[in-house]
């Protein structure tokens, strides 16, 4: 297989995105790391992880500025995702936030714009404003983040709510709550889950996770690291995209390689035993 090919997934409107993209939270904060962070993102795009996720919140726009620098000259090769603060997701403010993000990113449109989490502005208003941005060509599609099943159901009852392209939520081997009902619900409607913190930077069970003996042994059998197994695991279910954040070329390369790991039925069974999904409904895990 060509080393630059990542497996891909189709969004509800037919757009194709890689199963592993790139997160950028905490990027652009440290001047001494800037050049390496930019080089890492560009390498990631070359290696097929051409979805880049950022947000107006990250470093008060510094992450978007860094991404803007990273995609200079390769903008058309990148599927660019940003997010709006809930308090900016209403009339006038949404368009203003979007314009400011576009400016920082040095582009004229976003491929996907997400409501970062649910705030007090009615979803109806946010959907209406998002649809206006689509009509104006400022964004190609919109989605949400950190919405649990009931909120997703409410969203889909709103006129235009069925245009929601993804729901970005926390999901990794140590935080499997969404498998109870949110993930199956989204799978049945073909609305992808975009898994954040897939390397367990946050979430219910994160400390010591990579020290688990089963995980270590499976990793050793594949000749990879436990984190690469975690990343491969995070995208093994239907309709899941993962967006690991990596600030070094070494980490980016390892993450791209994780996209080619084939977990066997036995690997998956052992991981299920070591990290069981909760047998009951749990509130959505989030940072
Ligand atoms: P991740 O689970 O992706 O973990 C990131 C950490 O893992 C960093 O410390 C990084 O180090 C390290 N790392 C990356 N690759 C490797 C590797 N191959 N080997 C060893 N270490 C590695 O955490 P995030 O919380 O950042 O989640 C990913 C993205 O999801 C965010 O960046 C953001 O874009 C998005 N997100 C969205 C949220 C939301 O509310 N919608 C909330 C949180 C995140 P280093 O930087 O040194 O490479």
């Amino acid at each position: 297989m060509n080393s630059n090919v990542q497996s891909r997934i189709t969004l509800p409107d037919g757009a194709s995105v890689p199963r592993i993209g790139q997160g950028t939270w905490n990027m652009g904060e440290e001047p001494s790391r800037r050049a390496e962070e930019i080089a890492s993102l560009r390498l990631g795009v070359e290696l097929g992880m051409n979805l880049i996720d950022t947000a107006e919140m990250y470093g008060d726009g510094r992450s978007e500025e860094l991404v803007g620098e990273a995609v200079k000259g390769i903008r058309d090769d990148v599927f660019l995702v940003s997010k709006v603060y809930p308090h900016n997701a209403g009339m006038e403010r949404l368009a203003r936030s979007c314009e400011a993000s576009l400016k920082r990113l040095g582009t004229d449109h976003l491929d996907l714009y997400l409501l970062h989490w649910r705030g007090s502005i009615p979803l109806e208003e946010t959907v209406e404003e998002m649809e206006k941005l689509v009509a104006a060509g400022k964004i190609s599609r919109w989605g949400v983040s950190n919405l649990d099943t009931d909120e997703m159901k409410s969203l889909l009852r709103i006129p235009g709510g069925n245009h929601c392209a993804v729901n970005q939520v926390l999901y990794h081997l140590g935080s499997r709550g969404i498998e109870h009902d949110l993930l199956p619900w989204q799978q049945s409607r073909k609305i992808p889950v975009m898994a954040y913190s897939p390397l367990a930077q946050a979430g219910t069970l994160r400390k010591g996770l990579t020290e688990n003996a089963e995980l270590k042994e499976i990793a050793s059998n594949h000749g990879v690291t436990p984190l690469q197994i975690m990343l491969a695991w995070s995208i093994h279910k239907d309709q899941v995209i993962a967006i690991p954040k990596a600030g070094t070329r070494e980490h980016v390369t390892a993450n791209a390689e994780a996209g080619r790991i084939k977990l066997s039925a036995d690997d998956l069974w052992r991981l299920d035993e070591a990290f069981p999904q909760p047998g009951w409904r749990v509130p959505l895990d989030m940072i």
Side-chain angles (χ1 to χ4, degrees):
M1 188 193 270
N2 179 330
S3 66
N4 294 352
V5 174
Q6 288 289 329
S7 68
R8 298 181 75 85
I9 197 170
T10 305
L11 297 184
D13 64 4
S16 161
V17 294
R19 296 292 294 263
I20 301 183
Q22 304 185 78
T24 64
W25 190 25
N26 293 320
M27 278 192 180
E29 300 285 335
E30 181 54 58
S32 63
R33 295 183 61 174
R34 192 174 186 84
E36 179 64 9
E37 288 172 345
I38 290 173
S40 302
L41 286 171
R42 289 178 75 92
L43 175 63
V45 173
E46 260 174 53
L47 296 176
M49 301 187 296
N50 69 324
L51 182 154
I52 299 182
D53 176 82
T54 182
E56 66 174 345
M57 183 186 103
Y58 299 163
D60 275 337
R62 285 189 292 279
S63 163
E64 288 183 326
E65 280 165 6
L66 180 120
V67 172
E69 228 176 301
V71 302
K72 230 176 242 164
I74 56 166
R75 168 65 187 96
D76 291 345
D77 300 332
V78 175
F79 188 96
L80 212 44
V81 185
S82 193
K83 308 184 209 76
V84 61
Y85 269 122
H87 61 264
N88 285 338
M91 266 184 282
E92 289 165 25
R93 295 182 80 113
L94 184 59
R96 269 211 301 272
S97 270
C98 181
E99 213 51 66
S101 287
L102 293 176
K103 194 163 173 222
R104 287 188 289 266
L105 286 159
T107 185
D108 60 358
H109 75 285
L110 291 171
D111 297 290
L112 177 62
Y113 199 28
L114 306 179
L115 168 65
H116 208 148
W117 65 91
R118 182 86 179 83
S120 56
I121 292 175
L123 281 175
E124 286 83 352
E125 190 177 324
T126 300
V127 170
E128 207 177 315
E129 296 304 313
M130 286 286 194
E131 292 285 318
K132 284 186 200 161
L133 290 177
V134 173
K138 300 285 181 187
I139 63 174
S140 303
R141 56 194 67 72
W142 61 267
V144 293
S145 177
N146 294 305
L147 261 61
D148 210 341
T149 318
D150 288 348
E151 294 168 316
M152 286 301 286
K153 286 180 180 166
S154 306
L155 175 66
L156 262 65
R157 282 194 289 269
I158 294 169
N162 61 338
H163 293 159
C164 174
V166 305
N167 181 18
Q168 184 179 113
V169 295
L170 193 155
Y171 182 51
H172 59 69
L173 196 51
S175 179
R176 302 182 56 176
I178 65 163
E179 290 177 34
H180 194 263
D181 59 6
L182 182 62
L183 179 58
W185 186 88
Q186 291 197 207
Q187 284 170 328
S188 69
R189 281 155 189 82
K190 303 232 174 300
I191 302 174
V193 159
M194 196 179 276
Y196 74 71
S197 302
L199 303 174
Q201 189 272 127
T204 318
L205 175 60
R206 64 187 175 113
K207 291 220 163 51
L209 202 140
T210 51
E211 292 309 310
N212 177 275
E214 288 292 324
L215 179 56
K216 279 167 87 170
E217 196 181 304
I218 293 167
S220 154
N221 292 343
H222 283 268
V224 300
T225 67
L227 280 178
Q228 285 176 298
I229 294 293
M230 284 179 59
L231 191 50
W233 180 90
S234 74
I235 55 162
H236 85 280
K237 287 193 190 275
D238 183 35
Q239 299 294 324
V240 184
I241 302 163
I243 47 166
K245 177 260 179 183
T248 68
R249 280 170 282 189
E250 189 192 338
H251 286 169
V252 162
T253 306
N255 295 347
E257 281 165 5
R260 284 182 288 281
I261 297 170
K262 299 269 174 272
L263 295 172
S264 68
D266 184 56
D267 293 334
L268 292 171
W269 182 83
R270 290 171 66 188
L271 290 170
D272 271 343
E273 290 290 301
F275 302 96
Q277 75 172 93
W280 53 89
R281 200 182 181 289
V282 291
L284 190 61
D285 208 359
M286 52 181 99
I287 294 187

